[in-house]
Amino acid sequence: MDTGVSGDVTTRMGLDLAPFRGLRYDPHRVGSLAAVTSPPYDVVVRPDGLLHLESADPYNIVRLILPQATTPAARNQQAADTLRRWLSEGVLAADAEPGLYVYEQRGEGLLQRGVIGALRVSEPSEGVVLPHEDVMPHVIADRAALMRATSANLEPLLLTYRGNGAETGTTAVIERTAARTPLLRTTTEDGFCHRLWAVTDPADLAEIQTDLAGHQALIADGHHRWATYRRLRAEHASPSPWDYGLVLLVDTARYPLRVRAIHRLLHRLPVAEALASLTGLFRVRDLHVPLTKALEMLAEAAAVGNAFLLAGDGTFHLVDRPNPDLLARTIPAAYPEAWRTLDATVLHATLLENVWHIPEDSPEHIAYIHDTAATVEKAERDGGTAVLMHPVREEVVRELARQGVTMPRKSTSFGPKPATGLVLRAL
C-alpha cells in the first residue's frame, strides 16, 4: 500500500520522520510566493486578517485553511474543490522526488532552521511527541473535517527537540544544505525571509532519520492539528498515509524559539463588570500609559506573582496579587506547583471558571488572539474585555510536558511559526 511517504517505514522508539513529495506553488502561476502565504490558521485575525490575505492573491493559501461559506460542510467542500482546481491548473504541483525539506526563517535579528517532513503519529503515552496544552474538541472536529475533505496536510506543525550541540546528524545535513541554492526564497510582509531546500540524497535522509530516532519532540505550535492527526490515523487501517503528519522540527538547543503569550478576548464581559467582580479578590491598578509601558509593568508584576492586564475601555488595568484563600479554593491541589502557579492556570481555574463564569471552550464567549494590539482593538470595538498575558518560560513548558502535565489551552505561542503555503502534503 502507498503510505504517502518514502523509505522504510519502521516503528522506532524516537522520532520517525519520512520524506514525501511536497506540493508547492508554481511561482510563475502566482503573483508572488509571499502573496500566497499565510500565518497558521489560528493566528489569522478574523475577519480583518482573512480579508487582507484573500485580497493579496486569488491563490492565497488562506482559501484552503480558512475557506468561507455558509455551513461547515460547504466550507470544507469549497476547500476540496479549490485544491483540486489548483492542482489541475498547475498552480500547485508535486515535487518529482520524495524528500525532506530544510526550512529557514530569518528576521528581527533571529535565524531559525529546521527540517520539514512527515512524522509518524504517536500517542502521548508513547513519550515520543509531548503535548503541553489541553485542546478543544470542536477545533479538532473542524480541522479533521477539513483534512478529510482535502485529503491533505495543508500546513506544518512546529515541533522542537533538543540536540546535543554537536554539528552531526540532522544539524550537519541542515547546515550543508543551507549552503546551497534554495528551491525558493521569499520575504513576507512581516519582514521575515523564508528559504526552502529539498533533501533527497539517500545518505542525507538516512543521517537525519537515524539521528532523530534518538529524540523526543515537544509540540510548540499545533496541538489541535496533532490531535487531529491522531484522530484521523485512528479512522484508517494501518499502514496508510494517515499514519504520518506534516511537521517542522527545530533543534532549540541550536535555534532557540521565542515564547510569547496568547491573549484572551471575552466577548460578552464588559471591562467595568470584569473589574467590579475582582473587588477583594485581586489588586487592581489603573494604568494611564501606552500599551508598551503597560506590558512592561505587567512583566514586572508577573516576575513576582500572577498578573494580568485588562483592557477594552480605553485604559489598561493591572490585576495582580490574588487572594491566597481564593487560589486555595479554586486551584486543584493535585498538580505540581509549577502548574498551580501558572498565570494561565489562575486565569482559567480561578477567573474564568469561578469569578466570571465564562466557558473556556465557547467561541461565543471567548477568543484566543496572538497579536496584543489586535486583542485590545477588538475589545474596544466590541465592548468586551481583553485579558493580556505574560509569556511562560520554555523550560517550564518542557518540564511539565515531561511530567505528563498539560497546561491550560492556548497557554503559549512559540515562534517564529512556519509560513503556511510554502510546502503542503497530499495524502
Side-chain angles (χ1 to χ4, degrees):
M1 179 184 292
D2 181 8
T3 63
V5 297
S6 176
D8 294 332
V9 179
T10 57
T11 301
R12 302 189 179 101
M13 293 301 292
L15 300 169
D16 180 359
L17 192 69
F20 68 103
R21 292 179 63 202
L23 282 183
R24 297 189 296 110
Y25 280 98
D26 180 344
H28 302 294
R29 300 296 303 272
V30 298
S32 71
L33 290 175
V36 296
T37 63
S38 165
Y41 80 99
D42 59 340
V43 180
V44 176
V45 178
R46 288 173 273 187
D48 299 353
L50 185 65
L51 294 173
H52 174 72
L53 291 165
E54 286 182 332
S55 62
D57 190 284
Y59 297 113
N60 189 283
I61 193 70
V62 78
R63 298 179 189 276
L64 298 183
I65 62 172
L66 291 173
Q68 299 300 295
T70 54
T71 67
R75 289 196 293 271
N76 296 327
Q77 186 60 51
Q78 179 174 296
D81 292 343
T82 299
L83 178 57
R84 279 195 293 269
R85 186 173 69 254
W86 290 358
L87 289 168
S88 66
E89 294 174 355
V91 174
L92 286 169
D95 285 332
E97 293 182 82
L100 299 175
Y101 295 85
V102 169
Y103 176 48
E104 176 190 278
Q105 293 164 278
R106 187 189 296 266
E108 298 180 0
L110 182 146
L111 172 65
Q112 178 175 289
R113 288 177 180 152
V115 60
I116 295 174
L119 184 66
R120 184 180 67 84
V121 178
S122 60
E123 296 298 315
S125 59
E126 297 178 55
V128 176
V129 175
L130 305 176
H132 69 266
E133 288 185 356
D134 288 335
V135 292
M136 293 174 274
H138 75 274
V139 178
I140 298 171
D142 173 74
R143 290 295 101 183
L146 178 64
M147 288 189 203
R148 286 191 205 100
T150 57
S151 291
N153 297 152
L154 300 172
E155 46 187 341
L157 285 63
L158 175 60
L159 273 60
T160 72
Y161 68 100
R162 301 288 290 182
N164 59 13
E167 292 200 13
T168 58
T170 305
T171 295
V173 177
I174 287 175
E175 300 308 318
R176 287 199 304 268
T177 303
R180 303 169 188 160
T181 302
L183 285 176
L184 65 85
R185 175 190 176 114
T186 190
T187 300
T188 45
E189 64 180 5
D190 59 4
F192 272 85
C193 176
H194 307 260
R195 297 199 295 172
L196 190 77
W197 298 260
V199 179
T200 57
D201 180 81
D204 286 342
L205 294 175
E207 189 171 356
I208 291 174
Q209 291 170 316
T210 300
D211 176 40
L212 292 178
H215 291 283
Q216 64 179 185
L218 175 74
I219 301 176
D221 186 68
H223 281 80
H224 289 91
R225 283 167 287 166
W226 183 256
T228 301
Y229 288 170
R230 290 168 46 214
R231 173 179 292 189
L232 294 172
R233 182 189 66 162
E235 294 176 0
H236 296 81
S238 185
S240 84
W242 301 96
D243 292 341
Y244 291 78
L246 188 63
V247 306
L248 165 65
L249 278 164
V250 174
D251 176 5
T252 52
R254 187 172 183 85
Y255 297 108
L257 270 66
R258 298 177 310 199
V259 186
R260 291 177 173 171
I262 302 176
H263 310 296
R264 276 65 170 161
L265 174 60
L266 310 181
H267 297 298
R268 299 183 177 180
L269 182 67
V271 175
E273 185 178 332
L275 293 172
S277 62
L278 299 180
T279 302
L281 301 178
F282 286 78
R283 181 176 70 169
V284 178
R285 288 177 286 168
D286 298 338
L287 309 179
H288 300 284
V289 297
L291 175 58
T292 52
K293 179 61 177 177
L295 291 173
E296 290 177 7
M297 297 178 72
L298 172 63
E300 293 171 0
V304 179
N306 300 120
F308 312 92
L309 203 60
L310 271 55
D313 61 352
T315 301
F316 296 107
H317 309 273
L318 183 60
V319 176
D320 64 354
R321 296 188 183 179
N323 184 302
D325 292 336
L326 173 68
L327 298 184
R329 189 172 71 250
T330 57
I331 303 295
Y335 286 81
E337 182 182 2
W339 182 90
R340 297 197 310 271
T341 56
L342 288 169
D343 287 338
T345 297
V346 174
L347 173 62
H348 284 257
T350 303
L351 285 169
L352 292 180
E353 183 175 347
N354 286 279
V355 177
W356 293 330
H357 306 292
I358 293 175
E360 62 180 356
D361 57 354
S362 172
E364 296 179 2
H365 292 85
I366 186 170
Y368 299 85
I369 304 177
H370 294 72
D371 185 89
T372 308
T375 310
V376 175
E377 290 168 7
K378 288 178 72 67
E380 292 179 345
R381 186 171 62 209
D382 302 339
T385 295
V387 182
L388 306 183
M389 310 281 288
H390 185 69
V392 64
R393 301 190 314 278
E394 180 184 357
E395 54 266 31
V396 173
V397 176
R398 191 174 295 276
E399 182 53 37
L400 285 173
R402 286 200 178 109
Q403 296 178 46
V405 178
T406 55
M407 299 166 63
R409 59 198 59 172
K410 300 292 184 182
S411 293
T412 58
S413 175
F414 285 87
K417 305 178 191 303
T420 297
L422 296 181
V423 61
L424 293 63
R425 174 178 174 250
L427 282 77

